[in-house]
Amino acid sequence: MKYDAYIFDMDGTILNTIEDLTDSTNYTMEKMGYPLHTIEEVKWFVGNGIINLIKRAVPEGTSDEDIKKTYDIFMEYYKVHCNDKTGPYDGITALLTELKKSSKKLAVVSNKADVPVKKLAEDIFPGLFDIAIGEREGVNKKPEKDMVEIALNYLKCDKKNAVYIGDTDVDFLTAKNSGLDCILVSWGFRGADFIKKYDANYFVDRPEEILDI
């Protein structure tokens, strides 16, 4: 294994969160009297933080005041229901366990809100991640490098010895902006055809392939 630290995106990379995200989105849309969305639509809303998910989900021309109200409804609901149907992709827990056994440092860096990121990381992968970081006030979201640098400082790891692993263009740009190598996975929310448009260091179709890099 080539790296000392492995920094993972959450949604679409280690966890299939799309059903809970879709249910929470549609609960919120219904409360606001807006049209509902399919899972496939919500997959493309995700990646740039919850506020951007909301902006993409509400009807065009929605006021800033109503966007804020919609966001607040979503967050209150999702905090309670973020782990109703969410689970790890096949092979992810085994991958993380093997990396941990090999004394690798593990982190999650996600544009999902900080509270559910920490809750999901601990509830689903207890003891496996050294640090889990989500969107929080005062810290720039991905694809800016801020959250990755927080993780690297906590892990006490130089960027040349770390890799960022994700499933979207946002993750590719995050790695690039952070000066990290990048692994893009095909099982997430964008799919193989989409991610292969980007010049990642590696592409993988199964979690265990990461152990061979």
Side-chain angles (χ1 to χ4, degrees), residues 8-16 89 92 165-168 171 183 185 187-189 207:
F8 291 85
D9 169 54
M10 180 168 272
D11 295 329
T13 300
I14 57 172
L15 289 179
N16 188 351
Y89 288 99
I92 288 292
I165 302 156
D167 69 307
T168 70
D171 297 313
I183 300 171
V185 308
W187 57 78
F189 293 171

Side-chain angles (χ1 to χ4, degrees), residues 85-106:
K85 301 175 183 176
T86 287
Y89 288 99
D90 289 345
I92 288 292
T93 302
L95 165 67
L96 298 174
T97 301
E98 188 61 33
L99 290 171
K100 199 72 174 175
K101 283 180 183 176
S102 300
S103 300
K104 303 302 181 180
K105 299 173 181 179
L106 303 179

Side-chain angles (χ1 to χ4, degrees), residues 22 29 33 46 58-59 62 66 78 97 122 153 160 163 171 205:
T22 301
M29 295 300 104
V46 174
V58 299
T62 300
D66 281 344
Y78 189 64
T97 301
E122 185 53 36
N153 287 335
K160 72 177 184 295
V163 63
D171 297 313
D205 297 318

Side-chain angles (χ1 to χ4, degrees), residues 1-45:
M1 288 174 274
K2 181 176 180 180
Y3 303 99
D4 296 328
Y6 292 73
I7 303 177
F8 291 85
D9 169 54
M10 180 168 272
D11 295 329
T13 300
I14 57 172
L15 289 179
N16 188 351
T17 56
I18 196 61
E19 286 191 73
D20 284 331
L21 286 168
T22 301
D23 289 349
S24 297
T25 299
N26 284 334
Y27 170 86
T28 307
M29 295 300 104
E30 192 168 30
K31 284 287 185 183
M32 292 296 293
Y34 298 152
L36 306 186
H37 295 285
T38 67
I39 283 178
E40 288 306 311
E41 287 174 322
V42 176
K43 281 182 180 180
W44 290 91
F45 296 163

